[in-house]
Amino acid sequence: MSLTSKLVWTAVIVGGIVYIGRNTDSTAGAATDTAPIPADYQRHYEAAAGTCPHMDAPLLAAVGKIETNHGRSTLPGVRSGANSAGAAGPMQFLPATFKTMRARHPDIGPDQYDPATAIRAAAHYLCDSGVADGDVRRALLTYNHSSKYASDVQAQARAYR
């Protein structure tokens, strides 16, 4: 099967409700892809990883890859607006979650569509959710409550390492 014909299933949790749907944009969520990460995104992943103990750039890059293929996805909510679950930006935050992260971490800028801002917010969110304690899987399950999502991100991070 070619990558362009591959269907990717996504699950998003909003208010305790799981929304599952097919993503036909084959560039988002492709498992263990080792294609080069865009240079600007790589710099943001590396800078944001330094904000948290036990965080590394490959983990953040894996989240960015699975969520929006490092902002390259053409799906709604990546560059403007929101997807059907209300998530927005290259790291796919619900606006309320992004606002909470900004309130807790003043180094996060106001634009969740800006890759530097979104990646920094994701680093803080993952850090607060378990990475700082060394529990990466718990953090990933907080980011997205799907076990498959957590496994996919961890596999992608291993591929990047």
Side-chain angles (χ1 to χ4, degrees), residues 113-127:
Y113 298 99
D114 174 50
T117 297
I119 292 167
R120 184 165 291 270
H124 283 304
Y125 187 84
L126 290 166
C127 189

Side-chain angles (χ1 to χ4, degrees), residues 3-11 20-30 65-69 73-76 78:
L3 181 61
T4 58
S5 65
K6 186 175 186 177
L7 292 177
V8 179
W9 290 89
T10 57
I20 299 175
R22 272 190 326 191
N23 172 359
T24 57
D25 179 348
S26 63
T27 63
K65 171 64 180 171
I66 299 298
E67 291 293 343
T68 67
N69 191 22
S73 173
T74 58
L75 293 171
V78 176

Side-chain angles (χ1 to χ4, degrees), residues 12-60:
V12 178
I13 310 293
V14 179
I17 299 171
V18 180
Y19 295 91
I20 299 175
R22 272 190 326 191
N23 172 359
T24 57
D25 179 348
S26 63
T27 63
T32 61
D33 182 357
T34 56
I37 298 167
D40 57 335
Y41 272 70
Q42 183 65 38
R43 283 189 302 276
H44 299 314
Y45 294 135
E46 289 171 2
T51 66
C52 176
H54 305 292
M55 177 75 70
D56 66 358
L59 177 64
L60 284 172

Side-chain angles (χ1 to χ4, degrees), residues 42-111:
Q42 183 65 38
R43 283 189 302 276
H44 299 314
Y45 294 135
E46 289 171 2
T51 66
C52 176
H54 305 292
M55 177 75 70
D56 66 358
L59 177 64
L60 284 172
V63 171
K65 171 64 180 171
I66 299 298
E67 291 293 343
T68 67
N69 191 22
H70 314 295
R72 293 182 283 211
S73 173
T74 58
L75 293 171
V78 176
R79 291 183 192 85
S80 65
N83 66 20
S84 61
M91 299 303 273
Q92 292 292 279
F93 276 101
L94 295 173
T97 304
F98 184 77
K99 183 178 177 180
T100 298
M101 294 314 300
R102 285 198 67 224
R104 293 175 71 183
H105 300 280
D107 64 327
I108 297 172
D111 182 3

